[in-house]
């Protein structure tokens, strides 16, 4: 009976020791991973994070043991990994800075475009409120004949005159001229179709004339159109201020 009790006691101690024992190298083999984030945590730069970590890494190497050659090699590998990482950080920051500059420039351009668009809108609104239409005409040109046509419109005041002409032709040539009541030419638009043998579909040759005339001559004005075998269309509009401008 006494021998049995002693045997059980020894067996219990052996099991207890077996469960409580920790492998000698288990803590020493655990690896402390170096910082691998590009972000700045707790106000630390990536380099500062690596420098702080290095102290823990050295402590781990010393606890692990090994030869001085192994220790030096581990530190060299660590510094190489650190240098490569910091190089990546610098490149990432450079790219981010370039992108920020591009974004700022793009925002600046958009702001300018919005400003110009708003100015055009205000001018257009002011024009609609302060001008009256005198002539609106759309003309179709055919290539079958050479033609000459004249449109007359009367100006009854010396307020500013606005003339806008848009023309598109896909054959021949067209000349559009503006004459005041004294027969003086105030402007012209000349178009000659230029064909391209490489184009399967004929493209139009287009042109525009926008004329603003202050202190306008009172009387009958003329817009003359001369076309030679032209095929296309012409749109024109004439308006005049009903309120004095700054210069009037």
């Amino acid at each position: 009976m006494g021998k049995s009790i002693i045997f059980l006691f020894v067996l219990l101690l052996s099991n207890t020791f077996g469960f409580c024992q920790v492998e000698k190298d288990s803590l020493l083999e655990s690896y402390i991973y170096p910082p691998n984030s590009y972000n700045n945590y707790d106000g630390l730069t990536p380099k500062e994070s690596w420098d702080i970590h290095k102290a823990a890494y050295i402590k781990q190497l010393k606890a692990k043991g090994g030869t001085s050659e192994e220790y030096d090699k581990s530190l060299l590998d660590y510094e190489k990994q650190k240098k490569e990482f910091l190089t990546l950080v610098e490149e990432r920051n450079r790219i981010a800075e370039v992108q920020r500059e591009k974004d700022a420039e793009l925002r600046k351009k958009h702001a300018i475009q919005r400003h110009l668009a708003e100015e055009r809108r205000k001018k257009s609104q002011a024009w609609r409120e302060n001008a009256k239409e005198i002539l609106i005409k759309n003309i179709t040109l055919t290539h079958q004949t050479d033609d000459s046509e004249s449109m007359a419109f009367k100006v009854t005041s010396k307020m500013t005159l606005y003339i806008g002409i848009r023309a598109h032709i896909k054959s021949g040539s067209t000349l559009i001229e503006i004459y005041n009541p004294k027969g003086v030419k105030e402007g012209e638009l000349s178009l000659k179709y230029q064909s391209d043998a490489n184009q399967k579909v004929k493209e139009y040759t287009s042109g525009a004339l926008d004329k603003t005339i202050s202190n306008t001559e009172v009387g009958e004005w003329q817009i003359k159109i001369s076309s030679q075998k032209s095929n296309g269309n012409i749109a024109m509009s004439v308006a005049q201020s009903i309120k004095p401008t700054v210069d009037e």
Side-chain angles (χ1 to χ4, degrees):
M1 181 66 178
K3 290 182 179 180
S4 298
I5 294 174
I6 293 172
F7 176 75
L8 290 174
F9 180 73
V10 172
L11 181 62
L12 178 62
L13 288 177
S14 298
N15 290 337
T16 302
F17 180 77
F19 283 117
C20 295
Q21 185 179 14
V22 179
E23 294 183 9
K24 180 179 179 181
D25 296 330
S26 61
L27 292 177
L28 298 179
E29 294 297 331
S30 63
Y31 184 72
I32 300 177
Y33 290 95
N36 61 356
S37 174
Y38 293 100
N39 298 318
N40 185 344
Y41 293 113
D42 299 327
L44 297 176
T45 65
K47 182 179 183 305
E48 290 170 339
S49 297
W50 275 74
D51 290 340
I52 292 173
H53 173 269
K54 184 177 180 180
Y57 183 66
I58 291 174
K59 183 177 180 181
Q60 182 191 55
L61 289 177
K62 290 180 178 179
K64 186 177 180 180
T67 65
S68 59
E69 290 79 5
E70 291 174 338
Y71 177 83
D72 292 340
K73 182 179 183 303
S74 296
L75 283 185
L76 286 175
D77 291 341
Y78 185 90
E79 289 296 332
K80 180 181 178 181
Q81 187 180 3
K82 171 184 174 181
K83 182 178 180 181
E84 291 174 350
F85 178 79
L86 294 181
T87 299
L88 290 176
V89 171
E90 291 177 359
E91 178 63 13
R92 177 181 179 274
N93 290 340
R94 185 191 67 80
I95 294 174
E97 180 61 26
V98 170
Q99 187 59 48
R100 283 192 294 269
E101 291 176 358
K102 289 182 178 179
D103 292 342
E105 186 65 24
L106 188 60
R107 286 193 296 271
K108 183 179 179 180
K109 289 181 179 179
H110 287 168
I112 293 174
Q113 291 173 353
R114 287 194 297 270
H115 176 73
L116 293 176
E118 179 62 18
E119 288 297 314
R120 288 194 295 267
R121 187 194 67 78
K122 289 180 179 180
K123 288 181 179 180
S124 178
Q125 180 66 24
W127 185 88
R128 287 193 295 270
E129 293 175 353
N130 300 321
K132 67 176 181 178
E133 293 176 343
I134 298 176
L135 173 70
I136 295 180
K137 192 78 172 179
N138 292 303
I139 300 170
T140 300
L141 303 174
T142 61
H143 64 277
Q144 297 176 351
T145 60
D146 294 344
D147 195 14
S148 180
E149 187 175 354
S150 179
M151 267 78 52
F153 59 91
K154 289 185 178 181
V155 173
T156 58
S157 74
K158 298 182 74 65
M159 297 292 187
T160 302
L161 192 67
Y162 306 96
I163 302 175
I165 299 174
R166 302 290 182 271
H168 311 277
I169 63 172
K170 58 180 180 180
S171 65
S173 61
T174 298
L175 175 64
I176 305 169
E177 300 169 295
I178 304 170
Y179 291 92
N180 67 22
K182 294 181 178 181
V184 177
K185 185 188 292 188
E186 295 283 357
E188 71 172 43
L189 173 62
S190 179
L191 294 177
K192 184 176 182 179
Y193 178 72
Q194 301 292 333
S195 61
D196 188 343
N198 296 324
Q199 292 178 347
K200 294 181 180 180
V201 180
K202 277 194 170 184
E203 296 289 339
Y204 283 92
T205 296
S206 302
L209 172 63
D210 291 298
K211 191 75 176 179
T212 300
I213 303 171
S214 302
N215 195 25
T216 310
E217 290 287 345
V218 175
E220 186 174 272
W221 286 63
Q222 298 281 339
I223 298 179
K224 295 181 179 181
I225 302 173
S226 301
S227 62
Q228 295 181 350
K229 295 181 174 57
S230 290
N231 185 9
N233 59 79
I234 300 172
M236 60 182 67
S237 65
V238 180
Q240 189 172 29
S241 295
I242 57 177
K243 295 180 181 180
T245 62
V246 175
D247 297 330
E248 295 174 328

